[in-house]
Amino acid sequence: LQRCVRLLLVPIHLLACLGLWGSFYRKVFPYVMAKVAPIYNRKVYKQKQELFSNLRKFAGPSGQLTLLEIGTGTGTNFQFYPPGCRLTCTDPNPNFRKFLLKSLSENPHVKLEHLVVASGEKLHQIPDGAVDVVVCTLVLCSVANVKQVLAEVLRVLRLGGAFYFLEHVAADHSSWTYFWQKVCDPAWKYFGDGCSLSRETEKELEKTNFSELHLRRIRVTPYWIPASPHIIGYAVK
C-alpha cells in the first residue's frame, strides 16, 4: 500500500527533485495552517490550558517570563501565555509573518521582542541560557533532526528553565493506527511540509539530558486519523 501511495506521488516527487514543490508549498502552507490550526486548537484547548497553566513557575528572578517559541507558525499558542510575557518567535518559513502578526494583534497581553527566521536546529541568534521557557507544539514531527533541535533547546534554556511540548507521534507498533501511519507517511510529508506521522519523539526526549521529564500520552479526536496519538508535557533543564 505504501508503494502504491509512492507511485501516486511520482509527479510531486519530480517537482520536488526540480526544486519546484518546496518553494510553491512554502507559500501555500501558511494559508492551510491558518484554516487548520484554529480547528486543532479547539480540539486540544483544555489540554493546552492545563499544560501552560504553570508557565509563571519558571519566570526569572525579575518575575518576568522570557519565552522562546520554536516553529511559531500562525501564533495559535499566544492566548495561553501569561500577561507581560517577553516573547521570541522563530520559524523557518517567512510566509507565516502576516498570520503571526495578526495573532499578536489579537493577543496584546504578550510582548514580541524578536521575530527570527530560523529552523529549530539553528538558533544561533539566541544566546546560551537566555530564556526561561521554550515552547514547541506540532514542530518536532517535521524538523530535519530532532536530536539537534533538543540540543539547541538545552543550550538556550537557563538552568532550571523548562521545555513545553505537544506533538503527534508514532502509535504502538502492533496497532492498526501505526499501520496506516506508515502507509500515509509519504503523502503526509509532502502535504504537511515535511511532517512525519511515525516519529518516535518520546524516545528522543528521554535520551536528552533533562533533569526532569513530565510526559503523558493522549489521543486527539477523531481517533481514527493517523495523527491522533500525541505526547504532551514539559521537561526541566
Side-chain angles (χ1 to χ4, degrees), residues 85-102:
C85 174
R86 296 168 55 198
L87 183 63
T88 297
C89 296
T90 73
D91 202 288
N93 189 342
N95 298 299
F96 273 111
R97 181 183 175 87
K98 73 174 185 178
F99 299 102
L100 185 147
L101 293 176
K102 180 176 182 292

Side-chain angles (χ1 to χ4, degrees), residues 203-220:
K203 292 180 181 178
E204 292 298 331
L205 282 164
E206 289 172 347
K207 288 188 288 186
T208 306
N209 193 28
F210 289 110
S211 63
E212 299 176 30
L213 177 60
H214 304 269
L215 179 151
R216 64 188 177 95
R217 283 184 165 265
I218 61 171
R219 291 184 70 90
V220 174

Side-chain angles (χ1 to χ4, degrees), residues 19-233:
L20 300 174
W21 177 258
S23 58
F24 162 74
Y25 203 67
R26 278 172 69 86
K27 294 177 181 177
V28 173
F29 190 59
Y31 290 90
V32 174
M33 291 307 297
K35 298 293 184 183
V36 173
I39 298 169
Y40 174 82
N41 232 26
R42 287 194 289 272
K43 292 178 181 294
V44 296
Y45 182 85
K46 289 182 178 178
Q47 290 90 338
K48 280 191 175 184
Q49 197 174 40
E50 180 184 353
L51 174 65
F52 295 126
S53 63
N54 69 341
L55 278 173
R56 287 186 181 277
K57 171 184 173 183
F58 296 100
S62 66
Q64 197 167 33
L65 184 72
T66 303
L67 189 150
L68 166 68
E69 181 167 358
I70 298 174
T72 308
T74 59
T76 54
N77 290 328
F78 293 165
Q79 61 182 297
F80 302 101
Y81 297 158
C85 174
R86 296 168 55 198
L87 183 63
T88 297
C89 296
T90 73
D91 202 288
N93 189 342
N95 298 299
F96 273 111
R97 181 183 175 87
K98 73 174 185 178
F99 299 102
L100 185 147
L101 293 176
K102 180 176 182 292
S103 291
L104 281 170
S105 68
E106 295 168 352
N107 294 277
H109 64 286
V110 297
K111 178 185 177 184
L112 179 65
E113 293 201 331
H114 304 286
L115 179 55
V116 181
V117 178
S119 67
E121 294 93 338
K122 298 177 181 178
L123 301 175
H124 307 313
Q125 297 182 53
I126 315 297
D128 295 3
V131 298
D132 302 313
V133 166
V134 177
V135 172
C136 190
T137 62
L138 299 187
V139 172
L140 296 178
C141 55
S142 58
V143 299
N145 190 318
V146 177
K147 183 178 180 179
Q148 193 173 337
V149 173
L150 294 176
E152 281 289 84
V153 168
L154 277 177
R155 181 185 66 79
V156 302
L157 274 176
R158 65 166 176 80
L159 189 62
F163 172 57
Y164 284 73
F165 55 87
L166 171 61
E167 300 285 340
H168 70 79
V169 294
D172 183 277
H173 288 202
S174 63
S175 66
W176 278 106
T177 302
Y178 185 72
F179 171 82
W180 287 112
Q181 284 179 335
K182 299 303 287 185
V183 170
C184 297
D185 240 346
W188 202 274
K189 286 178 181 177
Y190 279 121
F191 293 103
D193 199 27
C195 177
S196 172
L197 287 165
S198 56
R199 190 158 281 181
E200 306 279 357
T201 307
E202 181 177 349
K203 292 180 181 178
E204 292 298 331
L205 282 164
E206 289 172 347
K207 288 188 288 186
T208 306
N209 193 28
F210 289 110
S211 63
E212 299 176 30
L213 177 60
H214 304 269
L215 179 151
R216 64 188 177 95
R217 283 184 165 265
I218 61 171
R219 291 184 70 90
V220 174
T221 58
Y223 299 129
W224 54 268
I225 65 169
S228 176
H230 280 59
I231 56 172
I232 186 171

